Amino acid sequence: PFAFERLISDIAFWTRLSLISRKIKIILHKRDLIDIKKEGRLGVILGIQDAAFLGDKLKLIETLYNLGLRVVQPTYNMMNDFGTGCTDRVDAGLSYKGVKLVKQLNALGMVIDASHCSWRTTMDMLEVSKDPIIFSHVTCKAVCPHDRGKTDEELAAVAQEGGYIGIALVPAFLTLQPRATLRDFLRHLKHAIDVCGIDHI
């Protein structure tokens, strides 16, 4: 119930830190990526996991964009008004409201992150979005059958549309064994490169 208030508080914290720190800069535009490299600073891109708190107030996305938010995950692990999450029993895909959200994010130039979305929600977003989408932190289902893993079809589709895939370093996502190793991570990394090409990983 307090997600929006917490989000505003978090944005205010990172914005203030960016203003007073010589080491951290909030990334708002492409040019900021170039600047941080020259300045030797750490770039922070503000994003949210789960847009459920928006409810019927999709206009809030524009306000959040103006405050510095740049990445949105429409769903978390479970279904919300926008679509289905990756751990749901039934995969209903992207809702009509989810389609509106995707189009609004496109209009603002915000990045859509489908890391926690279901297979069908991901494929629906790829169909609806005019811009590439991303998986910022996932693993490969072909290597380890975890709910947070993505199928080769999803990985290839995101890469084909110009998006990128980040491999998550969560031990339980990497292996079914009690303990994950660097080798487990590298297996996912190599598989994703084999499926998508290194430029998208």
Side-chain angles (χ1 to χ4, degrees):
F2 303 111
F4 184 69
E5 290 83 353
R6 286 180 59 193
L7 175 58
I8 296 300
S9 177
D10 284 348
I11 291 174
F13 168 81
W14 284 103
T15 302
R16 178 66 180 153
L17 194 61
S18 179
L19 290 171
I20 64 174
S21 171
R22 293 181 180 175
K23 296 183 179 178
I24 292 173
K25 181 182 179 73
I26 302 291
I27 303 296
L28 299 175
H29 306 284
K30 182 179 176 181
R31 65 178 175 270
D32 294 331
L33 291 167
I34 297 164
D35 290 345
I36 61 163
K37 191 168 183 181
K38 289 178 186 170
E39 297 163 7
R41 297 170 81 184
L42 177 68
V44 175
I45 301 175
L46 301 179
I48 55 168
Q49 293 191 135
D50 198 348
F53 71 90
L54 290 171
D56 291 320
K57 300 174 182 173
L58 290 186
K59 288 271 186 188
L60 282 177
I61 279 292
E62 191 166 350
T63 301
L64 294 170
Y65 175 86
N66 291 334
L67 293 175
L69 193 73
R70 291 296 180 267
V71 181
V72 173
Q73 291 184 41
T75 73
Y76 192 59
N77 293 337
M78 292 154 289
M79 184 183 290
N80 63 24
D81 287 349
F82 302 109
T84 310
C86 62
T87 62
D88 277 306
R89 185 176 69 83
V90 177
D91 191 352
L94 199 63
S95 68
Y96 283 121
K97 192 184 282 189
V99 170
K100 285 178 71 175
L101 176 62
V102 167
K103 289 180 177 178
Q104 187 163 1
L105 295 172
N106 282 170
L108 290 167
M110 295 179 81
V111 177
I112 300 168
D113 185 351
S115 292
H116 287 261
C117 295
S118 67
W119 176 88
R120 187 169 173 191
T121 301
T122 297
M123 302 311 278
D124 286 349
M125 284 196 294
L126 283 164
E127 187 178 326
V128 172
S129 180
K130 68 176 180 61
D131 296 325
I133 70 171
I134 68 169
F135 295 140
S136 65
H137 59 299
V138 297
T139 51
C140 303
K141 226 167 202 163
V143 178
C144 180
H146 192 278
D147 286 337
R148 284 281 283 102
K150 296 296 181 182
T151 64
D152 287 358
E153 182 183 11
E154 290 171 282
L155 295 169
V158 166
Q160 188 174 344
E161 293 300 317
Y164 86 89
I165 293 98
I167 302 300
L169 285 163
V170 181
F173 299 176
L174 296 171
T175 179
L176 299 178
Q177 299 304 313
R179 187 172 181 171
T181 66
L182 179 60
R183 186 179 295 273
D184 293 313
F185 167 70
L186 292 174
R187 285 173 62 218
H188 286 269
L189 189 64
K190 182 180 185 304
H191 183 83
I193 291 168
D194 290 344
V195 170
C196 303
I198 198 166
D199 291 342
H200 297 280
I201 309 300

